[in-house]
């Protein structure tokens, strides 16, 4: 079944015209077209609604788009009613019967009289009740308690399962579903006739048409509707239900539409409430950072790297909201909460090998010959019978163990003539079987909040029943390079100009970390241009700038952040590097990186990576540290941490790049990571253990 392009959810009304001004208890339609949510449509009466629906269907059919149209009234009556009224046990016969008799206008209709006429076809009094006219009508009682002996079921099967639904027989008062049905089915009958085979009606027909009509019940998402706080509840219902259906994974929606009914009908999504509500999980926005969050305590001068990192970790918190995404789109996303198994894995005791299954208690030592029962058990093809003691069954890998089987003997250890199986005992009890939930039990926490999802995690989520996943929204990070001397890579450049190496490097790093990048390009040494770029960057969750963060004449980044934002120059004791400019612009954190690509990379890996990870909801990330023997000699002075470019050579020893000059960009590509040298003085000789931070540990 192909995906629907357009979702239309309609809240119906059995009453009169509600006027030009949008009101509750009118007809409302929610539309999501090609994934884009449209404003709900107010339809003042059924005539306007029918014309609007016909126009929408015509437009979508002409455009080749598939439509799922839901209506919040029952599509059928309890079993036997259609046959009693029309002589045919066919819901569409009843639709057409009603369409031929219902007279409807904006201010009056004959539903009461038609209901009384149907009651007259049954013995006793009823089943319809709720006479809403001022005069008594023969055969139509005003109260439900006045009915008797009509012989019709009060509820359809689906209504016995959907707690809180109302009876199709009630015509007046709160929950008067009966009037909606009488006034809605004739409209659907005409639409079905107008568009012929392009329209199919679920669940009486397969959901295969270009337009599929389906019965809905917005109360399946009542909590989300209540939380919406819309003063017109009908408007909120159609908007949210259209959104939920549009966001469902295709497999989940297909599972809903797989149900079929001959006469009574069914509510779309009943039994799948969790999936629909998960699709409507609200986007929660954590509080913004405090305006002075980067301010250092009084008296702090040069800050050791560990102290600077600890300070960042203490002052930052996640700044992104949450959303629910289909499982197939969740790779690289960060879980918004602890995730529990919705289903055990495996869900049933099953066979671990191809072979023959039996009850161990009926076997013993020495040669065993057991008669085979008819049939076999295979994965996805459960054996519904019971295997008697002393008998065996052919069973394949992954098949659920039939009743009476607790042990499986490997096929290679058996001989069979298709009627008996022979093998040598004893066989260990429970051999070659897997217990239900031996991998994961239902309800177990399988992945923690803050975990970034990988391909193996998607397999685990799928196996334990998850079709959608609540995740943090991707952190949006804006990137800006500054400097008149910069040119775009590949453009012509004169002797006094250089190519912008930082933006390609930083954007690649950020995308690899799973963040959404807003590339704001190269900005000249012009305060106005940089101010505009920073204003654009404030649409993001965080900003990385490179260059212009010192105190020179053309260092407009630092001046603007100081004068119009909140700037804290952290003098961090590290090499390569310089003071790290941490600031806020319009409430958004800004990391002012050095313009030198080597220093920019080191500051990004050591400081920006864990900070951005924390902002994104993935928690603080420490780099991977490996101990390896030094393949060099070095004398390091006290007073700052150093991160020279390094790699592990063929002999397993750490090699240093030939020069520590921070202008040598080639060393970044040559290296496989960074060497971490602590704040204290250190004398290193070949063979001494040193700490190596591989690029792979930074997600590069």
């Amino acid at each position: 079944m192909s995906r629907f392009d357009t979702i239309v959810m309609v809240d119906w009304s059995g009453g009169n015209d509600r006027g030009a001004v949008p009101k509750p208890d009118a007809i409302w339609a929610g539309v999501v077209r090609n994934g884009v949510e449209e404003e709900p449509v107010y339809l003042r009466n059924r005539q306007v609604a029918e014309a609007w629906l016909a126009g929408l269907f015509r437009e979508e059919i002409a455009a080749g788009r598939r439509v799922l149209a839901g209506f919040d009234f029952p599509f059928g009556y309890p079993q036997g009613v259609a046959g009693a009224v029309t002589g045919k046990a066919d819901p569409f016969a009843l639709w057409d019967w009603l369409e031929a008799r219902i007279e409807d206008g904006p201010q009056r209709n004959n539903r009461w009289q038609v209901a009384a006429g149907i009651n007259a076809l049954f013995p006793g009094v009823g089943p319809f009740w709720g006479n809403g006219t001022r005069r008594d009508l023969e055969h139509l009682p005003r109260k439900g308690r006045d009915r008797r002996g009509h012989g019709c079921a009060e509820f359809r099967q689906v209504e016995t399962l959907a707690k809180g639904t109302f009876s199709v027989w009630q015509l007046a008062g709160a929950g008067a579903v009966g009037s909606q049905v009488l006034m809605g089915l004739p409209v659907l009958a005409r639409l079905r006739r107008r568009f012929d085979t392009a329209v199919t009606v679920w669940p009486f027909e397969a959901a295969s048409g270009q337009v599929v009509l389906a019965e809905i019940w917005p109360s399946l998402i009542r909590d989300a509707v209540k939380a919406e706080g819309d003063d017109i509840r009908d408007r909120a219902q159609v908007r949210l239900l259209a959104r939920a259906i549009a966001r469902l994974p295709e497999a989940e929606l297909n599972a809903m539409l797989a149900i079929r009914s001959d006469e009574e009908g069914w509510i779309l999504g009943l039994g799948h409430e969790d999936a629909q509500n998960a699709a409507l999980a609200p986007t929660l926005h954590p509080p913004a950072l405090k305006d002075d969050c980067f301010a250092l305590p009084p008296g702090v001068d040069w800050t050791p790297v560990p102290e600077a990192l600890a300070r960042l970790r203490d002052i930052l918190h996640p700044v992104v909201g949450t959303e629910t995404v289909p499982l197939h789109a969740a790779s690289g996303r960060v879980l918004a909460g602890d995730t529990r198994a919705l289903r055990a894995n495996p869900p049933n005791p099953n066979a671990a090998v191809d072979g023959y299954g039996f009850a161990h208690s009926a076997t013993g030592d020495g040669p065993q010959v057991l008669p085979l029962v008819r049939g076999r058990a295979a994965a996805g093809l459960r054996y519904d019978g019971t295997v008697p003691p002393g008998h065996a069954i052919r069973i394949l890998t992954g098949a659920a163990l039939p009743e009476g089987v607790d042990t499986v003997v490997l096929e290679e250890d058996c001989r069979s003539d298709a009627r008996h199986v022979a093998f040598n005992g004893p066989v260990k009890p429970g051999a070659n079987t897997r217990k239900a939930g031996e991998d994961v039990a239902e309800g177990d926490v399988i992945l923690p909040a803050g975990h970034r999802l990988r391909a193996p995690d998607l397999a685990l989520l799928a196996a334990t029943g998850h079709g959608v996943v609540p995740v943090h929204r991707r952190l949006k990070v804006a990137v800006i390079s500054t400097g008149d001397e910069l040119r775009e890579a590949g453009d012509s450049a004169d002797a006094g100009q250089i190519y912008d190496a930082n933006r390609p490097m930083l954007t690649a790093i950020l995308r690899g970390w799973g963040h959404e990048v807003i590339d704001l390009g190269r900005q000249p040494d012009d305060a106005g241009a940089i101010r505009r770029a920073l204003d654009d960057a404030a649409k993001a969750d965080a900003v990385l700038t490179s260059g212009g963060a010192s105190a020179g004449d053309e260092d407009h980044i630092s001046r603007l952040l100081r004068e119009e934002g909140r700037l804290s120059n952290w003098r961090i004791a590290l090499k390569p590097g310089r003071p790290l400019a941490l600031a806020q612009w319009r409430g958004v954190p800004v990391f002012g990186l050095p313009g030198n690509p080597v220093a920019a990379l080191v500051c990004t890996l050591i400081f920006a990576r864990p900070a951005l990870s924390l902002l994104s909801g993935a928690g603080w990330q420490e780099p991977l540290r490996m101990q390896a023997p030094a393949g060099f000699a070095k004398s390091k002075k006290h007073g700052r941490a150093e991160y020279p470019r390094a790699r592990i050579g063929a002999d397993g020893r750490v090699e240093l790049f030939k020069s520590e000059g921070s202008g040598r960009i080639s060393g970044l590509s040559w290296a496989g990571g960074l060497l971490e040298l602590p704040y204290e003085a250190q004398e290193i000789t070949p063979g001494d253990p040193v700490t190596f931070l591989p690029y792979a540990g930074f997600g590069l």
Side-chain angles (χ1 to χ4, degrees), residues 142-187:
R142 295 190 182 275
K143 302 293 184 182
R145 63 174 178 266
D146 295 333
R147 298 174 301 159
R148 60 185 179 276
H150 53 75
C152 298
E154 187 68 16
F155 294 101
R156 300 177 298 161
Q157 180 188 4
V158 70
E159 283 143 3
T160 65
L161 300 174
K163 304 304 181 186
T165 52
F166 290 85
S167 168
V168 292
W169 306 120
Q170 182 180 344
L171 299 177
V177 172
S179 286
Q180 290 180 283
V181 180
L182 289 178
M183 306 313 297
L185 291 183
V187 173

Side-chain angles (χ1 to χ4, degrees), residues 148-369:
R148 60 185 179 276
H150 53 75
C152 298
E154 187 68 16
F155 294 101
R156 300 177 298 161
Q157 180 188 4
V158 70
E159 283 143 3
T160 65
L161 300 174
K163 304 304 181 186
T165 52
F166 290 85
S167 168
V168 292
W169 306 120
Q170 182 180 344
L171 299 177
V177 172
S179 286
Q180 290 180 283
V181 180
L182 289 178
M183 306 313 297
L185 291 183
V187 173
L188 298 189
R190 286 190 290 272
L191 290 171
R192 180 172 179 263
R193 187 164 58 245
R194 174 181 296 190
F195 294 102
D196 197 24
T197 57
V199 171
T200 57
V201 180
W202 176 88
F204 307 131
E205 301 171 311
S208 57
Q210 192 167 351
V211 176
V212 176
L213 309 183
E215 177 186 338
I216 59 173
W217 188 44
S219 289
L220 293 179
I221 58 165
R222 60 171 65 86
D223 290 342
V225 172
K226 183 178 180 180
E228 188 78 354
D230 195 324
D231 57 347
I232 299 180
R233 181 181 178 86
D234 306 326
R235 177 170 58 194
Q237 289 183 157
V238 296
R239 177 174 59 246
L240 293 178
L241 193 53
R243 182 189 303 170
I245 297 297
R247 289 180 177 180
L248 284 174
E250 187 170 350
E252 187 82 36
L253 183 55
N254 286 343
M256 294 179 182
L257 293 168
I259 296 172
R260 297 294 296 275
S261 171
D262 292 334
E263 184 178 336
E264 289 194 339
W266 196 263
I267 294 169
L268 180 67
L270 184 65
H272 297 256
E273 291 87 341
D274 288 346
Q276 293 176 86
N277 284 288
L280 291 172
T283 298
L284 302 176
H285 295 284
L289 299 177
K290 295 180 180 179
D291 285 343
D292 60 350
C293 71
F294 290 131
L296 289 171
V300 172
D301 192 7
W302 285 96
T303 307
V305 170
E307 293 182 20
L309 291 172
R311 171 67 178 160
L312 275 179
R313 188 170 188 171
D314 287 343
I315 62 179
L316 298 178
H317 61 71
V319 297
V320 291
T322 62
E323 61 182 348
T324 299
V325 300
L327 182 62
H328 65 78
S331 181
R333 304 301 296 271
V334 177
L335 281 177
D338 289 349
T339 304
R340 297 181 180 273
L342 300 178
R343 189 189 196 203
N345 184 50
N348 299 294
N350 66 84
V353 298
D354 289 352
Y356 296 87
F358 48 84
H360 181 270
S361 60
T363 64
D365 298 343
Q368 306 289 308
V369 179

Side-chain angles (χ1 to χ4, degrees), residues 401-482:
L401 298 184
E403 190 74 24
V405 172
D406 58 21
T407 301
V408 175
V409 63
L410 187 66
E411 181 174 9
E412 290 83 348
D413 294 335
C414 299
R415 292 289 182 272
S416 175
D417 61 3
R419 292 180 300 171
H420 296 81
V421 62
F423 55 89
N424 285 313
V427 178
K428 183 179 178 181
N432 301 311
T433 64
R434 307 184 186 105
K435 296 178 181 178
E438 70 175 27
D439 177 27
V440 176
E442 182 178 344
D444 281 355
V445 174
I446 53 175
L447 293 168
H451 180 75
R452 191 175 296 279
L453 294 170
R454 309 157 299 162
D457 303 319
L458 301 192
L460 176 59
L461 289 165
T464 53
H466 291 274
V468 295
V469 188
V471 296
H472 285 287
R473 184 173 53 81
R474 290 190 190 276
L475 189 76
K476 295 180 181 179
V477 185
V479 178
I480 304 173
S481 290
T482 64

Side-chain angles (χ1 to χ4, degrees), residues 42-108:
Y42 171 68
L43 302 163
R44 58 186 294 173
N45 59 50
R46 287 177 294 280
Q47 291 70 44
V48 171
E50 183 174 348
W52 180 84
L53 286 164
L56 176 74
F57 293 172
R58 188 183 310 111
E59 177 184 349
E60 300 304 276
I61 290 171
R65 291 188 286 263
R66 290 197 73 215
V67 181
L68 176 61
F71 298 84
D72 74 330
F73 55 80
F75 279 14
Y77 287 88
Q79 196 78 22
V81 171
V85 174
T86 70
K88 298 179 182 178
D90 178 0
F92 297 130
L94 187 55
W95 286 25
D96 293 337
W97 190 94
L98 289 172
E99 194 270 332
R101 289 162 176 77
I102 287 288
E103 299 171 3
D104 192 13
Q107 295 298 337
R108 61 178 56 87

